[in-house]
Amino acid sequence: MSSSDEAQIGEELVVVVEVVERPDGSVGLGNSLELTMSEAIEAIKAGKVRAETAPIGVVPADWE
Amino acid sequence: MAGQTTNDTIVGFKKISTWGTAVAVTSTNAFKLKVSQLSLSGGFGVINTRDTGFGKKIEDVARGVFTGNITVSMDLSYNQPWTALFASVMGTEGNASSEITASQGDYSHTIDLSDSISNSSMIAWTLAFTTEESVGAKLIELPSVKFFSASISQDVNAQGTVTFQGFFDKVVTSGWTTSYANLTGLSGTTPYEIAILGGTNHYLRMNASSGGSLSGSNDIPIQNYTITLNRPLSTRYALRAANSSYTYEPLDLGLIDGQVSFRLLEINASTLDHLANWSAATDQKAELFIDGTQIGSGVNRSIKIQLPALEPSPGLPAGYDIPNNNSFQNPIAAFTMKKRSAAPTGMSGVTDYIRAIFIDQRSTKWTA
């Protein structure tokens, strides 16, 4: 998780990792992204990204 | 007794906390290492008499400083303790992630390049291996080993080779801290899965360092890759009674050198115009990914290498000339790793030379 001066004014930024489907159909982890907390939570619930501190599909307890 | 390697030839290592003080290679966080080759070199310096009048014959020989060099090679593999040695060269290993997939035992390990691998950030090892297969109870113990160089190379559709080079302080040939039973009692880390370059999911992606996130549109066909990281260390000696022949903890001295090269399938400027990048010295970023089989019903075991800033090597790129009319032109795209002031898009938090991300079944740090 990271933050910046800008985020302290607006919404906190967090680092998440894309959840991608590989060519063979397996699920893997892709690029790391910096999203606002609300964007990250929405994307985690949609199964599109993962937080480092929780399994795929689970929003870390201290994020909500 | 012939020195044939057998099932009884066991190499083990365990992290130390104090340079020069061995630990017993046993119990938690002691690893059995599957090596393809391990070689030691060095020894004591020779100090001969300099007196005249002895008929040019040596009358006395004294021993000088001891230098110990170790090179160890193994197959590139998933879920294996070579990851720990790699982390010790890189210098920074984060805690293992939480499970990637709930209850499946798949964990991610992120390893970054530190500024230093000395003093408080030292990750060094006691390494011991068995000798005299049929006699037993004999081993060689290196109380303190610090690796300063790591190299990974691999051809497509082949296993990769990982090689580490390091310094050790001395060789213990009796009175070991590690017992023979300690070594024979080590269990290998399971499962052992060899890493072959060429799976459906595998890729090398590259674009300008300042460009957007890497994706499938940035895939580059390569025939091999070589990644080498070398952080110079210097041994240090000082008067300290009986041990003054042996080095204090070797310390960093000089710039960290990271080199990476790829042999391209063909000259094709639409996939990678390396000549143009070389000419304009345009930094690239790259990501190499290979994976193995699935961990439970979670994600696959995998190795990902991220390179945020690659400066095209200044030498004229090889493989663009014409060797003869019975040869393909296979360009070599060679780069020097650099540090970036800010992470490139798609590689949040990656600024220093190289990041490696391993997904395996170890729930704690490899360098714990």
Side-chain angles (χ1 to χ4, degrees):
Chain A
M1 192 160 57
S2 69
S3 62
S4 67
D5 292 342
E6 188 180 331
Q8 287 168 12
I9 297 167
E11 195 178 357
E12 188 176 7
L13 293 174
V14 292
V15 174
V16 292
V17 182
E18 286 179 320
V19 176
V20 295
E21 186 171 329
R22 305 282 189 205
D24 67 354
S26 63
V27 171
L29 303 177
N31 293 311
S32 48
L33 309 169
E34 211 170 40
L35 301 178
T36 64
M37 184 70 87
S38 58
E39 288 173 333
I41 290 171
E42 188 179 341
I44 288 170
K45 288 177 176 172
K48 292 178 179 173
V49 302
R50 170 189 179 247
E52 275 287 291
T53 53
I56 293 172
V58 177
V59 178
D62 55 344
W63 285 19
E64 289 190 299
Chain B
M1 186 70 211
Q4 187 178 29
T5 55
T6 69
N7 283 345
D8 297 325
T9 308
I10 298 167
V11 181
F13 68 95
K14 184 170 183 176
K15 187 179 169 187
I16 60 172
S17 56
T18 304
W19 182 265
T21 303
V23 297
V25 181
T26 186
S27 71
T28 308
N29 296 327
F31 298 110
K32 182 178 179 179
L33 190 65
K34 289 178 182 288
V35 306
S36 54
Q37 193 168 11
L38 187 157
S39 62
L40 306 180
S41 64
F44 290 96
V46 176
I47 302 170
N48 287 325
T49 176
R50 292 196 290 186
D51 290 343
T52 58
F54 293 96
K56 296 184 171 53
K57 300 180 182 67
I58 296 169
E59 188 176 67
D60 188 24
V61 178
R63 290 187 166 187
V65 298
F66 179 84
T67 54
N69 305 293
I70 179 171
T71 302
V72 57
S73 298
M74 60 216 74
D75 281 341
L76 187 71
S77 51
Y78 303 108
N79 196 50
Q80 289 298 304
W82 70 267
T83 313
L85 301 185
F86 184 74
S88 74
V89 177
M90 292 281 280
T92 306
E93 182 186 7
N95 288 324
S97 74
S98 60
E99 282 185 315
I100 297 168
T101 314
S103 306
Q104 296 308 308
D106 48 358
Y107 301 92
S108 174
H109 302 263
T110 300
I111 295 171
D112 283 312
L113 187 71
S114 63
D115 292 346
S116 167
I117 53 170
S118 299
N119 296 322
S120 60
S121 60
M122 176 189 78
I123 304 172
W125 315 95
T126 291
L127 187 146
F129 55 95
T130 58
T131 58
E132 299 192 41
E133 55 181 289
S134 62
V135 175
K138 282 283 191 180
L139 54 104
I140 287 178
E141 182 180 71
L142 312 176
S144 309
V145 183
K146 193 195 270 193
F147 290 99
F148 57 82
S149 170
S151 174
I152 305 173
S153 61
Q154 189 167 28
D155 286 342
V156 68
N157 301 315
Q159 75 268 48
T161 300
V162 187
T163 301
F164 298 100
Q165 294 179 68
F167 288 134
F168 58 89
D169 60 343
K170 60 180 154 185
V171 176
V172 177
T173 57
S174 64
W176 309 276
T177 303
T178 302
S179 69
Y180 186 80
N182 288 157
L183 287 184
T184 56
L186 287 176
S187 300
T189 307
T190 55
Y192 177 86
E193 184 178 2
I194 194 166
I196 303 295
L197 179 65
T200 307
N201 302 323
H202 301 190
Y203 61 75
L204 170 73
R205 292 174 181 163
M206 189 186 301
N207 69 0
S209 187
S210 57
S213 292
L214 292 167
S215 68
S217 65
N218 304 115
D219 286 1
I220 311 286
I222 58 167
Q223 295 184 323
N224 68 19
Y225 69 86
T226 300
I227 298 167
T228 304
L229 189 67
N230 188 28
R231 45 194 325 159
L233 297 181
S234 181
T235 51
R236 301 177 304 137
Y237 301 90
L239 179 66
R240 47 171 169 156
N243 292 327
S244 54
S245 295
Y246 303 118
T247 182
Y248 280 82
E249 181 197 342
L251 299 184
D252 302 76
L253 187 69
L255 297 172
I256 304 168
D257 182 40
Q259 302 289 329
V260 58
S261 71
F262 306 101
R263 190 171 75 216
L264 309 179
L265 172 68
E266 58 196 1
I267 298 175
N268 184 343
S270 65
T271 54
L272 180 67
D273 194 345
H274 185 62
L275 270 187
N277 292 335
W278 169 79
S279 180
T282 307
D283 285 357
Q284 303 289 294
K285 67 175 180 287
E287 183 172 288
L288 180 72
F289 176 81
I290 57 175
D291 69 352
T293 54
Q294 192 174 22
I295 301 170
S297 55
V299 299
N300 295 348
R301 280 174 277 273
S302 64
I303 300 169
K304 182 191 284 187
I305 305 287
Q306 294 181 312
L307 304 154
L310 297 175
E311 165 104 17
S313 298
L316 188 65
Y320 285 94
D321 47 7
I322 302 168
N324 60 46
N325 58 10
N326 273 327
S327 299
F328 291 117
Q329 290 169 289
N330 290 125
I332 308 290
F335 303 91
T336 299
M337 300 177 200
K338 291 200 301 189
K339 176 186 174 76
R340 274 183 65 123
S341 57
T345 307
M347 294 187 191
S348 292
V350 189
T351 56
D352 289 343
Y353 283 35
I354 177 171
R355 168 177 283 185
I357 302 170
F358 297 84
I359 293 177
D360 53 42
Q361 285 146 281
R362 185 170 165 84
S363 61
T364 56
K365 292 167 70 161
W366 284 96
T367 54

